[in-house]
């Protein structure tokens, strides 16, 4: 849910990158942070375990200009993907205005992708939100690896409702900006 700070004349929208562990959520945010001009971004905060996995969230306020006379910002988070952090995922998801679901395209990650998608629907429902009503973009990441499932298979498995989706290689930046632009547009369209 967007928050308005009338004193600063700002409106903030929350985007959450959600997906199974090690699928590329944090890499997406690192790439976004690296390419944005300093005037359009805040500090990237990452809390990680010894295995270099995101423990809580990454936070990246992105300045968008103005919306209805208010300075618009996106606060971009990632959730931890490991199943034992389910409570943390729910907390990070609270108040989300849009979701990027990052799927690992490797064949051996399909079960984890599907479980994560189902977890997203459950977590949203616990916050009184339906996945059908949430602006959601799906990103099929790691398309450069040799053991990836075809995109049409991923679409049937994870995107039967035909949400906007992108192929990506987050480690090289491919598809990262297009994904962010699509979810940003989806959030702003829903808000107006």
């Amino acid at each position: 849910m967007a928050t308005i700070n009338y004193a600063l004349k700002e409106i903030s929208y929350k985007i959450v990158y959600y997906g199974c562990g090690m699928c590329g959520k944090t890499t997406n945010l690192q790439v976004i942070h690296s390419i944005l001009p300093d005037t359009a971004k805040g500090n990237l905060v990452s809390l990680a375990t010894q295995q270099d996995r995101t423990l809580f969230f990454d936070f990246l306020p992105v300045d968008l200009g103005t919306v209805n006379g208010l300075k618009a910002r996106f606060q971009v988070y990632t959730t931890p993907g490991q199943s034992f952090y389910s409570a943390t995922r729910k907390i990070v998801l609270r108040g989300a205005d849009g979701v990027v679901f990052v799927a690992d395209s490797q064949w051996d990650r399909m079960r984890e992708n599907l479980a994560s998608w189902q977890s997203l629907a459950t977590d949203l429902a616990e916050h009184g939100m339906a996945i059908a009503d949430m602006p959601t973009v799906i990103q099929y990441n790691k398309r450069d690896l040799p053991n990836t499932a075809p995109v049409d298979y991923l679409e049937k498995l994870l995107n039967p409702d035909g949400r906007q989706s992108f192929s990506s290689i987050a480690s090289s930046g491919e598809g990262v900006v297009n994904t962010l632009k699509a979810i940003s547009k989806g959030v702003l369209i829903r808000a107006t």
Side-chain angles (χ1 to χ4, degrees):
M1 170 185 264
T3 56
I4 299 174
N5 182 328
Y6 290 104
L8 296 176
K9 295 184 180 180
E10 286 186 349
I11 185 166
S12 294
Y13 300 99
K14 183 177 183 179
I15 293 176
V16 176
Y17 278 65
Y18 197 105
C20 63
M22 305 301 288
C23 66
K25 300 176 301 287
T26 298
T27 304
N28 268 274
L29 264 66
Q30 290 169 335
V31 168
I32 293 164
H33 190 265
S34 72
I35 62 175
L36 286 173
D38 289 341
T39 57
K41 66 184 177 188
N43 292 329
L44 178 63
V45 177
S46 182
L47 304 172
T49 66
Q50 291 177 346
Q51 293 83 25
D52 200 32
R53 295 180 176 173
T54 305
L55 179 57
F56 289 103
F57 59 83
D58 297 308
F59 171 72
L60 173 62
V62 180
D63 185 353
L64 297 175
T66 60
V67 175
N68 295 328
L70 298 172
K71 183 179 178 183
R73 299 178 75 86
F74 277 156
Q75 297 174 342
V76 186
Y77 294 80
T78 66
T79 59
Q82 297 74 24
S83 61
F84 46 90
Y85 291 123
S86 64
T88 303
R89 282 195 305 272
K90 290 175 192 173
I91 291 168
V92 173
L93 197 56
R94 184 183 305 142
D97 296 297
V99 173
V100 172
F101 184 81
V102 181
D104 188 320
S105 294
Q106 298 175 91
W107 276 111
D108 61 348
R109 301 299 302 276
M110 292 305 119
R111 183 171 293 162
E112 292 167 84
N113 286 328
L114 194 53
S116 187
W117 180 258
Q118 291 166 345
S119 178
L120 172 61
T122 300
D123 292 349
L124 285 170
E126 287 186 23
H127 291 302
M129 298 180 280
I131 197 165
D133 300 327
M134 175 65 65
T136 305
V137 172
I138 300 174
Q139 183 186 76
Y140 302 121
N141 193 29
K142 301 187 180 182
R143 299 303 303 162
D144 57 327
L145 299 180
N147 61 337
T148 58
V151 171
D152 62 338
Y153 175 82
L154 292 164
E155 287 281 290
K156 288 178 187 172
L157 181 69
L158 298 170
N159 195 15
D161 299 329
R163 290 175 172 83
Q164 196 167 11
S165 63
F166 296 90
S167 294
S168 74
I169 305 168
S171 61
S172 70
E174 184 178 322
V176 171
V177 173
N178 290 338
T179 301
L180 180 63
K181 285 180 180 178
I183 193 59
S184 301
K185 183 177 179 181
V187 167
L188 291 175
I189 288 171
R190 181 177 181 220
T192 55

